Amino acid sequence: MSDSVVYADVTADTDIVAWSREYCRDVRREWGVDVRFDLVEWEVSARAKRRAAAVKRPNLPDAAVGEPYDWERIEGADGRPLPCTLSLTREAFEAFDREEWEATLRHELVHVEQYQRDGTTDHGAAFRARAADLDTDVHCPAFADPKYVLSCVACGGLVARRYRDCKLVRERERYRSDCCGAELALD
């Protein structure tokens, strides 16, 4: 990668976008990611507290992962995918090392690739397979401390992190862990 913006020198939001955009273009070339960057807008969020990045996209009728979307039927699409926005979180960029940030960007590129092809995206089997191809995880690392951590009482494995009170936290006795089928403990 020819760093126009040197990673270690990134401070401003515009630098985060410039470095990340350049890295993603390199990933597209080197890893064969099928993404049209002319249809991707970029932003940095200073408000996001739980997600490292996100692809903001329209909710399209009848879109399903694994089924190429007919962009011709959407007014204003002209046969091309509608634009999406890759929203990067400043706190995550500051908390992660370069390797973690690069993996986060590759994760988001899988979402963009799925969206531009299928009109939607998820973390299902197709996502997991593509994430493995790009040497990234299905879930990005946490960079903020959750208010609630739920674990499996049988093996102690992490079940969920929650940043606010919710049904899972309040009614955890109604749920079971995926790993052991055991009750959930609030740590």
Side-chain angles (χ1 to χ4, degrees):
M1 177 174 178
S2 60
D3 286 345
S4 323
V5 177
V6 177
Y7 183 85
D9 295 338
V10 170
T11 55
D13 289 354
T14 54
D15 294 339
I16 294 172
V17 167
W19 190 92
S20 299
R21 181 183 290 147
E22 188 171 342
Y23 175 76
C24 287
R25 288 183 189 280
D26 288 345
V27 169
R28 179 179 62 185
R29 280 190 300 277
E30 294 172 20
W31 300 58
V33 177
D34 188 16
V35 168
R36 291 192 54 176
F37 285 114
D38 61 322
L39 300 174
V40 177
E41 298 168 6
W42 298 77
E43 70 180 22
V44 174
S45 172
R47 292 182 40 216
K49 301 295 180 210
R50 296 177 298 222
R51 60 172 175 76
V55 175
K56 297 178 180 177
R57 59 183 173 71
N59 187 6
L60 300 171
D62 305 322
V65 172
E67 297 176 21
Y69 195 76
D70 179 9
W71 292 102
E72 292 287 343
R73 69 184 192 167
I74 300 294
E75 189 175 328
D78 300 324
R80 301 175 303 155
L82 294 173
C84 63
T85 300
L86 186 46
S87 180
L88 310 171
T89 302
R90 167 172 276 292
E91 280 188 44
F93 179 84
E94 292 170 349
F96 292 170
D97 62 24
R98 181 174 174 158
E99 186 176 300
E100 289 172 313
W101 187 248
E102 289 173 348
T104 298
L105 293 172
R106 292 191 306 274
H107 172 107
E108 296 307 324
L109 284 176
V110 176
H111 284 302
V112 174
E113 186 177 55
Q114 278 188 336
Y115 164 70
Q116 288 184 350
R117 182 187 58 239
D118 302 335
T120 192
T121 185
D122 64 16
H123 287 111
F127 184 95
R128 290 189 301 271
R130 190 64 172 135
D133 292 344
L134 297 182
D135 190 28
T136 190
D137 295 319
V138 174
H139 299 286
C140 295
F143 64 92
D145 294 328
K147 188 171 182 179
Y148 306 98
V149 176
L150 296 146
S151 62
C152 173
V153 297
C155 70
L158 174 67
V159 173
R161 293 181 184 95
R162 294 293 181 264
Y163 296 84
R164 59 185 166 178
D165 190 19
C166 65
K167 185 177 177 182
L168 178 63
V169 171
R170 287 188 308 273
E171 301 176 19
R172 63 189 167 279
E173 65 280 349
R174 296 181 58 202
Y175 296 90
R176 296 288 178 253
S177 67
D178 288 338
C179 53
C180 302
E183 293 179 7
L184 305 183
L186 184 60
D187 299 335

